[in-house]
């Protein structure tokens, strides 16, 4: 029996083996790669969301608060504060300095009254106070304008009964402030508002009625 040469047997064995392709070795890696990429993307997105959340927590939100003062009252308070500056800058006049302090006190008390009304009182009490003080503050503002009290203080020689007129305005200013303080106490005690100040002395001055009307017209009332 003739044996085949060894070389021929080795060739036959090698011929039965499946040739190895280049992609066979990376098959498992190719399947895992999309999962890895997806995980990285999700991690990045989660990190971004956390950063944005922390930034929002650190940044205080702007809170829009409504003004507790009705527009007509706010207009008069703003004018009072403007007039206070006129009296405060009048050097060497004791009455002007006292008037500036009194105006500042009045404006502050008006704000306090309506802040407390807004927080504690019924709507009808707010409307009642607005009707009362929109009228009286307009009349007082007219008396405090530079054409009247300030002119009385700087040029009394050009007016009849200048001291009487000055006293009328100062009494009206003090009386109205006292009434507003009483109203604040009534609000704190949950009582109804009482109004007793009439400003009759200012009503009798025809020039003040004209200026009061001009103020209201300018405010669109």
């Amino acid at each position: 029996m003739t044996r085949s040469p060894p070389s021929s047997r080795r060739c036959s064995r090698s011929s039965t083996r499946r040739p190895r392709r280049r992609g066979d070795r990376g098959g498992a890696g190719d399947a895992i790669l999309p999962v890895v990429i997806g995980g990285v993307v999700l991690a990045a997105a989660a990190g971004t969301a956390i950063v944005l959340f922390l930034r929002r927590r650190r940044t205080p939100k702007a809170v829009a608060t409504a003004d507790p003062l009705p527009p007509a009252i706010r207009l008069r308070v703003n004018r009072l504060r403007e007039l206070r500056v006129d009296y405060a800058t009048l050097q060497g006049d004791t009455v002007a300095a006292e008037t500036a302090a009194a105006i500042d006190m009045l404006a502050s008390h008006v704000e306090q009254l309506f802040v407390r009304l807004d927080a504690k009182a019924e709507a009808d009490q707010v409307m009642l106070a607005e009707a009362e003080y929109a009228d009286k503050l307009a009349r007082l503002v007219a008396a405090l304008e530079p054409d009247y009290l300030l002119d009385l203080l700087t040029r009394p020689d050009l007016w009849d009964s200048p001291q009487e007129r000055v006293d009328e305005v100062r009494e009206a200013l003090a009386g109205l402030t006292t009434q507003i303080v009483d109203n604040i106490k009534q609000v704190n005690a949950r009582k109804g508002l009482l109004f007793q100040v009439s400003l009759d002395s200012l009503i009798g001055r025809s020039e003040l009625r004209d200026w009061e009307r001009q103020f209201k017209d300018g405010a669109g009332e």
Side-chain angles (χ1 to χ4, degrees):
M1 183 173 180
T2 305
R3 294 181 179 179
S4 300
S7 60
S8 63
R9 286 201 301 262
R10 285 196 297 268
C11 290
S12 61
R13 289 174 184 173
S14 62
S15 63
T16 60
R17 293 177 183 176
R18 183 174 60 87
R20 181 177 293 175
R21 290 175 296 181
R22 294 181 61 182
D24 290 347
R25 182 176 296 177
D30 292 342
I32 295 174
L33 184 59
V35 177
V36 174
I37 294 175
V40 172
V41 172
L42 289 175
T48 303
I50 293 172
V51 170
L52 291 174
F53 174 74
L54 292 176
R55 285 181 180 176
R56 288 176 181 174
R57 290 192 63 186
R58 292 174 183 173
T59 305
K61 294 182 179 179
V63 180
T65 55
D67 188 355
L69 275 66
I73 302 299
R74 172 57 68 190
L75 182 67
R76 286 149 175 78
V77 169
N78 289 346
R79 184 56 184 152
L80 284 171
R81 295 198 185 282
E82 293 171 354
L83 291 169
R84 185 202 68 81
V85 177
D86 294 337
Y87 288 92
T89 55
L90 189 60
Q91 300 295 326
D93 193 306
T94 303
V95 175
E98 292 174 352
T99 302
I103 292 173
D104 187 55
M105 184 181 299
L106 173 63
S108 176
H109 286 329
V110 171
E111 289 178 328
Q112 277 298 310
L113 172 61
F114 282 92
V115 165
R116 292 165 189 263
L117 281 169
D118 183 67
K120 302 178 182 182
E122 299 294 333
D124 61 334
Q125 291 291 293
V126 179
M127 295 174 62
L128 185 64
E130 180 182 0
E132 169 75 8
Y133 288 115
D135 180 62
K136 286 185 168 58
L137 288 173
R139 190 169 303 151
L140 186 59
V141 164
L144 292 169
E145 289 288 351
D147 289 341
Y148 194 68
L149 180 60
L150 199 62
D151 197 45
L152 283 164
L153 296 178
T154 56
R155 296 302 305 270
D157 55 305
L158 301 180
W159 291 85
D160 63 302
S161 307
Q163 190 58 51
E164 180 181 343
R165 291 171 180 270
V166 170
D167 292 342
E168 288 172 354
V169 178
R170 298 185 71 191
E171 289 171 8
L173 179 56
L176 195 60
T177 302
T178 299
Q179 178 176 280
I180 290 175
V181 172
D182 290 341
N183 288 159
I184 292 173
K185 294 176 181 179
Q186 291 156 7
V187 173
N188 290 338
R190 302 299 197 278
K191 296 180 179 179
L193 299 177
L194 298 176
F195 308 117
Q196 299 176 334
V197 176
S198 62
L199 305 186
D200 288 339
S201 60
L202 300 183
I203 294 175
R205 301 294 185 182
S206 59
E207 61 271 30
L208 291 181
R209 290 197 300 269
D210 294 338
W211 291 334
E212 179 186 349
R213 190 178 305 110
Q214 291 173 9
F215 177 80
K216 291 182 177 179
D217 290 343
E221 298 175 7

